[in-house]
Amino acid sequence: MAEHFAHVVMGSGPGILLAHGGGGSIAGNYGPILDDLATTHTVIGPDYPGSGDTPRSPEPLVLDDVADALVRTAVDAGVDRFTVLGYSLGTAVAVRIAVRYPERVTGLVLTAGFTYPDNRMRLAVQVWRDLLAAGDRTLLARYLTLLGTGATHLNGLSPADLEAGVAALAGFIPEGSPEHVGLVAGVDTRADLPKVTAPTLVVATTEDALATPEHSRQLAAGIPDAEIVEIAAGHGIATEARDEWLAAIRTLLARVG
């Protein structure tokens, strides 16, 4: 795995380190809120191996290694302390960063996350892996759209918009997705949660069929003094509830200065 990940650095001010989701990217998962965050903070957004311009890893990804690489990327960019925003798989990366580097982490925002894959998520991930192996990107995009889009947003789309969204997602699926999904399958941060000392906000996506609200509630229950806010959205919160998500993030950023 690369020592450093390709990344974006935007804005100025206190640091924010972004940890994106499996099968995602910084642009794909955080794009709609990047410019806003950069108006008040220095935002560092590294792409995992096989996403963006980061080369794909020839070997399985390890959570500690991904966490360490994100921190190296931020420090080498001149940002020694930061709030970590974790989305989906990135919540596990963020938790592991907070435990391994408590002196660097000023706060956590954990959105649409999970502590470990329960049986429902395991089945979802196995189908995801099988569809990747089969190489049918359109079928995979249909599956991820069904799983990851909240019912309110999904049913509000016209047939043409739905097909356009599926086509766009099929074209976006990163080459490193098999390694990302393998990492998702192996996540278990339950032992880490009591060790988190940074102020933490958990954002539960209430219409999420992949990382259900119960997963977020488990995160919040395990982290000392964590707060939780619930937002009516599916896994694609950046599209479905951008303004509500940004407002929630800002409440934590205001708390930690």
Side-chain angles (χ1 to χ4, degrees):
M1 190 177 72
E3 282 287 307
H4 295 85
F5 295 168
H7 59 280
V8 296
V9 180
M10 303 172 60
S12 61
I16 291 176
L17 177 59
L18 304 178
H20 68 72
S25 68
I26 292 299
N29 296 156
Y30 290 103
I33 64 171
L34 282 177
D35 287 342
D36 280 276
L37 293 175
T39 61
T40 54
H41 288 72
T42 302
V43 181
I44 304 96
D47 282 309
Y48 303 158
S51 284
D53 291 328
T54 305
R56 185 176 177 180
S57 174
E59 56 198 23
L61 299 179
V62 176
L63 188 60
D64 284 353
D65 294 345
V66 174
D68 291 348
L70 260 66
V71 171
R72 277 197 302 271
T73 301
V75 172
D76 288 351
V79 180
D80 294 329
R81 301 185 74 232
F82 35 74
T83 295
V84 188
L85 273 54
Y87 166 78
S88 191
L89 169 62
T91 62
V93 178
V95 165
R96 189 58 56 85
I97 288 172
V99 170
R100 288 171 72 81
Y101 302 93
E103 73 286 357
R104 295 195 182 281
V105 177
T106 57
L108 293 179
V109 181
L110 308 175
T111 301
F114 60 100
T115 58
Y116 72 100
D118 59 11
N119 286 339
R120 192 177 186 285
M121 184 179 280
R122 278 185 201 285
L123 287 171
V125 167
Q126 187 59 59
V127 174
W128 191 353
R129 296 175 92 164
D130 291 346
L131 290 172
L132 279 167
D136 189 335
R137 297 173 72 92
T138 298
L139 183 59
L140 175 57
R142 291 192 191 285
Y143 172 70
L144 293 176
T145 299
L146 175 64
L147 200 62
T149 311
T152 302
H153 184 80
L154 187 61
N155 291 326
L157 297 173
S158 69
D161 286 342
L162 176 57
E163 289 305 308
V166 167
L169 180 55
F172 162 78
I173 294 166
E175 291 302 312
S177 290
E179 292 78 44
H180 298 183
V181 179
L183 185 54
V184 170
V187 161
D188 190 342
T189 59
R190 284 174 286 186
D192 292 319
L193 301 184
K195 302 173 187 175
V196 173
T197 57
T200 301
L201 176 67
V202 176
V203 180
T205 38
T206 62
E207 297 185 11
D208 197 333
L210 180 60
T212 62
E214 183 56 31
H215 285 287
S216 286
R217 294 178 192 127
Q218 290 169 0
L219 271 174
I223 296 174
D225 302 318
E227 297 184 7
I228 186 168
V229 61
E230 298 191 351
I231 294 178
H235 207 61
I237 186 172
T239 300
E240 298 178 39
R242 173 202 174 278
D243 292 349
E244 294 89 338
W245 188 30
L246 183 62
I249 292 168
R250 291 231 176 262
T251 64
L252 188 283
L253 294 176
R255 278 178 55 201
V256 302

